[in-house]
C-alpha cells in the first residue's frame, strides 16, 4: 500500500473516498438522487448540445456560449461519475493515486472552463446592449470559436502544475479524503511536507479565475442594469430585470458554494465534514442540473431567457 520515496514519507498507492460522512449505511438510498441528477445532467445538457448543433438558426453567439457551458458541465459530471456511483452503488471506496490526480485535474479544469464561459456570456449580453447594431460584427464566429479555444487552453495550463506539485510531496500515513471525488483543497491537507507553494498556487487559481470572473460578471451586470433603467420602458424594464435576476441567481449558485468550499478547506478546519460535503455537492451538481432549464425557454420560442433581448429591442427602436 505504500511506495516509499524518502525517509520522511511515501506516495500512497490509493486514497480512501469517504462519500457522505455518517451516512455510510445509507449508500444504496443515497445513490437514487445522485443517479437522478446524473440522468438529468447528461440528458438535459446533451439535448442542448444536439439542438444547437443541428439547428442552423441557433448558430449565434449566445447559443454557442450556451453549448460551451453545457459541454463543460458534462465534463465536470463525467469526471465525478465513476467514483460517486462506485461508492454509493458498489461500495468501492478506493481510488489509485494517479487516478485521483487525474480526476482532480479534470474536475477543476472543466470548472475553470465553466467560470470562463459564464463570463463570456455576460460579455455577450453587455455587447448586445451597448452596441446592438454592431453585435454580429463584434462577436463573429471565428472570435467565438477562438474564445472557446483560449478558455480550454487556459484551463489546462493553469491546472497542469497542481498534480506535479502534489507528486513532489511526502505523505505520512493519512490517505482518507472527505468527499466522493478528488478535489485539490482536500488533497493538499494530506501531505506531511511543506504545502505553502501548493496553497499559494491554489489560491492564485481561485482568485485569478473564479474570483476575477465573478467580479467581472458583477460589473457587466451592473452596466446592463444601468442601461436597462436608463433606456427601457416600464414593461421592458420589468421584463429585463426579471430575466437578469434569474441569471444572477444562477451565477451566484455556481460561485458562492465553490469559493466558499475552497475557503473552508483552507481556513476553517473545524467546520463539520458533512457541511463541506454538502457544499462540494452543491457546487458540482446544482449548476449542471439547473442548466437544461434554459432549453425549455428556447423550445418555447421565448427570447426573454436572454436578458439583453428586451433592451436590444428598445435600443433598436430609438
Amino acid at each position: 500500500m505504500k511506495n516509499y520515496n524518502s525517509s520522511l514519507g511515501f506516495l500512497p498507492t490509493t486514497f480512501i473516498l469517504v462519500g457522505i460522512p455518517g451516512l455510510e449505511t445509507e449508500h444504496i438510498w443515497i445513490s437514487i438522487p445522485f443517479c437522478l441528477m446524473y440522468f438529468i445532467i447528461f440528458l438535459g445538457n446533451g439535448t442542448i448540445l444536439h439542438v444547437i448543433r443541428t439547428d442552423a438558426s441557433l448558430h449565434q453567439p449566445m447559443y454557442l456560449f450556451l453549448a460551451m457551458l453545457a459541454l463543460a458541465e458534462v465534463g465536470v459530471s463525467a469526471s465525478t461519475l465513476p467514483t460517486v456511483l462506485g461508492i454509493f452503488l458498489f461500495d468501492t471506496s478506493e481510488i489509485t493515486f494517479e487516478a485521483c490526480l487525474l480526476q482532480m485535474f479534470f474536475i477543476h479544469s472543466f470548472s475553470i472552463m465553466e467560470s470562463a464561459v459564464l463570463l463570456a456570456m455576460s460579455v455577450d449580453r453587455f455587447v448586445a446592449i451597448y452596441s446592438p447594431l454592431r453585435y454580429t460584427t463584434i462577436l463573429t464566429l471565428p472570435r467565438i470559436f477562438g474564445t472557446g479555444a483560449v478558455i480550454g487552453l487556459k484551463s489546462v495550463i493553469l491546472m497542469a502544475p497542481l498534480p506535479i506539485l502534489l507528486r513532489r510531496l511526502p505523505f505520512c500515513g493519512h490517505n482518507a479524503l472527505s468527499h466522493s471525488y478528488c478535489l485539490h483543497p482536500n488533497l493538499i491537507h494530506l501531505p506531511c511536507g511543506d504545502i505553502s507553494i501548493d496553497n499559494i498556487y491554489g489560491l492564485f487559481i481561485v482568485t485569478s479565475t473564479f474570483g476575477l470572473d465573478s467580479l467581472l460578471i458583477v460589473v457587466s451586470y451592473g452596466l446592463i442594469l444601468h442601461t436597462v433603467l436608463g433606456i427601457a420602458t416600464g414593461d421592458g424594464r420589468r421584463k429585463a430585470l426579471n430575466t437578469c435576476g434569474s441569471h444572477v441567481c444562477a451565477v451566484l449558485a455556481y460561485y458562492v458554494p465553490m469559493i466558499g468550499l475552497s475557503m473552508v478547506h483552507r481556513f476553517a478546519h473545524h467546520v463539520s465534514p458533512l457541511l463541506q460535503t454538502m457544499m462540494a455537492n452543491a457546487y458540482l451538481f446544482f449548476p449542471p442540473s439547473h442548466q437544461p432549464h434554459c432549453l425549455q425557454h428556447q423550445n418555447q420560442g421565448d427570447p426573454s431567457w436572454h436578458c439583453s433581448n428586451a433592451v436590444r429591442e428598445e435600443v433598436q427602436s430609438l
Side-chain angles (χ1 to χ4, degrees):
M1 294 295 293
K2 301 179 180 180
N3 176 26
Y4 288 92
N5 63 349
S6 73
S7 60
L8 297 176
F10 62 93
L11 287 178
T13 58
T14 60
F15 285 112
I16 305 300
L17 300 171
V18 174
I20 300 181
L23 298 177
E24 289 80 5
T25 59
E26 307 297 330
H27 278 177
I28 191 63
W29 297 107
I30 296 174
S31 68
I32 297 175
F34 276 98
C35 288
L36 180 61
M37 282 189 290
Y38 278 119
F39 176 77
I40 293 173
I41 289 169
F42 290 120
L43 178 63
N45 287 287
T47 304
I48 289 176
L49 291 170
H50 174 72
V51 170
I52 294 176
R53 184 181 67 86
T54 56
D55 191 342
S57 66
L58 299 182
H59 295 172
Q60 303 174 30
M62 70 176 87
Y63 297 102
L64 294 176
F65 283 130
L66 182 61
M68 293 180 196
L69 185 62
L71 185 62
E73 290 172 342
V74 168
V76 171
S77 299
S79 301
T80 63
L81 184 146
T83 53
V84 171
L85 296 189
I87 291 173
F88 295 126
L89 288 178
F90 308 108
D91 288 326
T92 305
S93 60
E94 288 190 349
I95 182 173
T96 65
F97 181 76
E98 300 296 338
C100 188
L101 293 183
L102 189 63
Q103 184 182 52
M104 177 202 73
F105 173 82
F106 281 115
I107 289 176
H108 291 300
S109 293
F110 281 116
S111 295
I112 292 172
M113 291 180 196
E114 282 186 89
S115 179
V117 173
L118 285 172
L119 174 59
M121 293 175 75
S122 71
V123 172
D124 163 61
R125 292 161 194 157
F126 172 79
V127 173
I129 289 173
Y130 276 81
S131 299
L133 301 180
R134 299 178 56 214
Y135 176 71
T136 55
T137 59
I138 294 176
L139 294 176
T140 61
L141 288 181
R143 287 178 179 172
I144 299 299
F145 291 120
T147 299
V150 170
I151 288 173
L153 185 61
K154 181 193 76 171
S155 303
V156 171
I157 291 175
L158 282 175
M159 278 303 303
L162 288 184
I164 299 173
L165 289 172
L166 280 171
R167 283 190 59 85
R168 71 178 179 82
L169 293 172
F171 290 73
C172 300
H174 182 53
N175 65 338
L177 300 173
S178 58
H179 301 303
S180 308
Y181 30 78
C182 299
L183 297 176
H184 182 259
N186 196 188
L187 280 168
I188 60 173
H189 291 297
L190 300 185
C192 55
D194 182 11
I195 62 171
S196 57
I197 295 178
D198 301 71
N199 244 329
I200 292 172
Y201 188 71
L203 282 173
F204 166 74
I205 291 179
V206 171
T207 54
S208 65
T209 56
F210 307 115
L212 182 61
D213 290 349
S214 60
L215 176 62
L216 294 176
I217 288 173
V218 169
V219 171
S220 66
Y221 273 113
L223 293 173
I224 288 171
L225 293 177
H226 176 73
T227 302
V228 169
L229 296 176
I231 296 179
T233 62
D235 291 339
R237 183 183 304 169
R238 284 191 295 271
K239 184 177 181 180
L241 287 176
N242 287 336
T243 53
C244 282
S246 65
H247 281 276
V248 170
C249 290
V251 169
L252 290 176
Y254 174 78
Y255 283 108
V256 171
M258 181 229 283
I259 296 177
L261 178 67
S262 179
M263 297 301 105
V264 164
H265 270 299
R266 286 178 169 85
F267 304 115
H269 304 304
H270 301 294
V271 172
S272 166
L274 180 60
L275 177 60
Q276 295 182 23
T277 300
M278 297 308 294
M279 291 177 66
N281 289 334
Y283 120 72
L284 285 178
F285 290 103
F286 179 73
S289 60
H290 176 73
Q291 178 66 15
H293 176 68
C294 292
L295 182 64
Q296 178 182 0
H297 292 290
Q298 295 173 32
N299 287 340
Q300 293 172 348
D302 180 9
S304 66
W305 73 276
H306 193 280
C307 67
S308 65
N309 284 344
V311 181
R312 289 179 65 194
E313 293 171 0
E314 295 282 343
V315 173
Q316 290 174 336
S317 66
L318 293 177

